[in-house]
Amino acid sequence: MAPENFTSVTEFVLTGVSGCPELQIPLFLVFLVLYVLTLAGNLGIITLTSVDSRLQTPMYFFLRQLAIINLGNSTVIAPKMLINFLVKKKTTSFYECATQLGGFLFFIVSEVMMLAVMAYDRYVAICNPLLYMVVVSRRLCLLLVSLTYLYGFSTAIVVSPCIFSMSYCSSNIINHFYCDIAPLLALSCSDTYLPETIVFISAATNLVFSMITVLVSYFNIVLSILRIHSSEGRKKAFSTCASHMMAVTVFYGTMLFMYLQPQTNHSLDTDKMASVFYTLVIPMLNPLIYSLRNNDVKVALKKFMENPC
């Protein structure tokens, strides 16, 4: 198609979670509650791990970064999504859409990498407890976190411009509640081979590297726990990584469901439901997982509630 035969898209229309008018208000209330709980939970983790002297270890430093990432990820998506439940014209400008995709990529890739960093942290804590504070030094913590954010930012500034450098014409209706890669690729009227290749290589590299790190770390953790003779010692060692194992299982379970399902069963509606989970539900669950199964966090919360100053 010649360039003069179509009008370039300057704004997109988001279909949202559901097109049923009678569901807009109920869904708005449901997702508003989810977002408020996400804000409260993650801000709570950030506050507690910042002010409580007992939560100044590398594990809680990384937990604070995960909370920041979860807060950012949900905030990139939820406000626009909530507004669209209440308005008839669910439009977003071309540059607003590009910015949202870039922000989403930054936070989701940072989360994938941060979970790998946290798995390495738990590996050192359990397999080399005497050297833990030496190996996982403050300098190493800052380096790992900086690399995590830098890698997330690099992915965002490579993939997002690549997606929005394509030509969009005829339809501007995005079958999603935010600007995501798959529905944007489906709208393009130009060759999508290069963007699809870049997205595939990036996603595969991120997931494979992160999952290998997590699996190797936990394989060694399990071996170390099995070598502990006392049941009390095994229970204590397991409790230090149980929360992270739950968070990893929920996150990667959703990702694997989304990317490993047969192509014949794959649809944008399925992607939409999976996206609700890892952009809104998981950021809400993570603070609960880490606080309900962690005595240090519960004690710090009780102390903070009794004396907030």
Side-chain angles (χ1 to χ4, degrees):
M1 182 183 292
E4 61 272 11
N5 291 337
F6 64 82
T7 302
S8 296
V9 168
T10 58
E11 66 176 17
F12 295 100
V13 177
L14 296 164
T15 61
V17 176
S18 172
C20 298
E22 62 272 16
L23 292 178
Q24 299 307 299
I25 297 301
L27 286 173
F28 168 79
L29 295 174
V30 169
F31 287 109
L32 178 62
V33 171
L34 283 178
Y35 184 53
V36 169
L37 291 175
T38 300
L39 290 177
N42 286 289
L43 286 174
I45 292 291
I46 293 167
T47 302
L48 289 177
T49 55
S50 299
V51 303
D52 194 285
S53 58
R54 289 169 297 184
L55 304 183
Q56 301 306 309
T57 63
M59 180 177 78
Y60 295 109
F61 174 73
F62 294 134
L63 178 58
R64 180 161 67 247
Q65 304 309 314
L66 181 65
I68 292 170
I69 291 168
N70 285 161
L71 188 63
N73 194 17
S74 59
T75 300
V76 165
I77 305 298
K80 182 67 175 179
M81 177 190 188
L82 291 171
I83 290 171
N84 283 344
F85 281 125
L86 303 177
V87 298
K88 289 185 177 180
K89 192 178 181 183
K90 299 175 172 58
T91 59
T92 181
S93 71
F94 185 89
Y95 294 105
E96 184 183 5
C97 193
T99 302
Q100 186 181 54
L101 177 61
F104 166 73
L105 289 171
F106 169 71
F107 286 113
I108 199 70
V109 172
S110 296
E111 183 171 2
V112 169
M113 294 298 109
M114 187 56 63
L115 289 173
V117 168
M118 293 174 74
Y120 170 74
D121 170 71
R122 292 299 82 209
Y123 157 73
V124 178
I126 293 174
C127 298
N128 297 287
L130 298 179
L131 296 175
Y132 175 58
M133 295 304 295
V134 176
V135 175
V136 190
S137 62
R138 179 169 178 79
R139 175 179 290 185
L140 180 63
C141 290
L142 293 173
L143 176 63
L144 290 174
V145 168
S146 298
L147 289 175
T148 294
Y149 288 134
L150 180 62
Y151 185 72
F153 180 73
S154 300
T155 302
I157 62 171
V158 169
V159 175
S160 187
C162 181
I163 297 297
F164 284 90
S165 65
M166 299 185 300
S167 298
Y168 293 95
C169 50
S170 62
S171 176
N172 66 337
I173 300 175
I174 299 176
N175 184 20
H176 218 305
F177 57 89
Y178 71 98
C179 295
D180 198 10
I181 292 172
L184 284 166
L185 287 172
L187 288 182
S188 177
C189 55
S190 58
D191 185 10
T192 60
Y193 176 77
L194 180 60
E196 286 178 341
T197 302
I198 291 173
V199 168
F200 176 80
I201 292 173
S202 176
T205 302
N206 298 340
L207 282 175
V208 169
F209 171 78
S210 179
M211 289 188 68
I212 287 176
T213 303
V214 170
L215 290 173
V216 170
S217 296
Y218 276 102
F219 177 77
N220 285 284
I221 286 171
V222 170
L223 290 181
S224 294
I225 292 175
L226 292 176
R227 293 192 193 104
I228 300 174
H229 298 295
S230 69
S231 59
E232 186 65 28
R234 285 197 296 270
K235 183 179 178 181
K236 184 178 180 181
F238 179 77
S239 67
T240 64
C241 60
S243 298
H244 183 257
M245 288 177 67
M246 289 178 62
V248 164
T249 301
V250 172
F251 183 81
Y252 285 117
T254 305
M255 286 292 187
L256 291 175
F257 167 78
M258 183 170 177
Y259 289 109
L260 295 185
Q261 59 182 306
Q263 193 64 31
T264 53
N265 297 334
H266 193 88
S267 71
L268 291 178
D269 288 332
T270 305
D271 288 355
K272 200 185 296 186
M273 292 303 102
S275 296
V276 167
F277 210 78
Y278 65 72
T279 60
L280 296 169
V281 178
I282 290 178
M284 181 204 68
L285 289 177
N286 278 344
L288 295 175
I289 291 171
Y290 283 102
S291 59
L292 293 178
R293 295 192 57 87
N294 191 302
N295 286 328
D296 290 339
V297 173
K298 286 189 283 189
V299 170
L301 178 60
K302 183 179 179 180
K303 180 182 175 182
F304 182 79
M305 294 298 289
E306 292 174 351
N307 185 19
C309 297

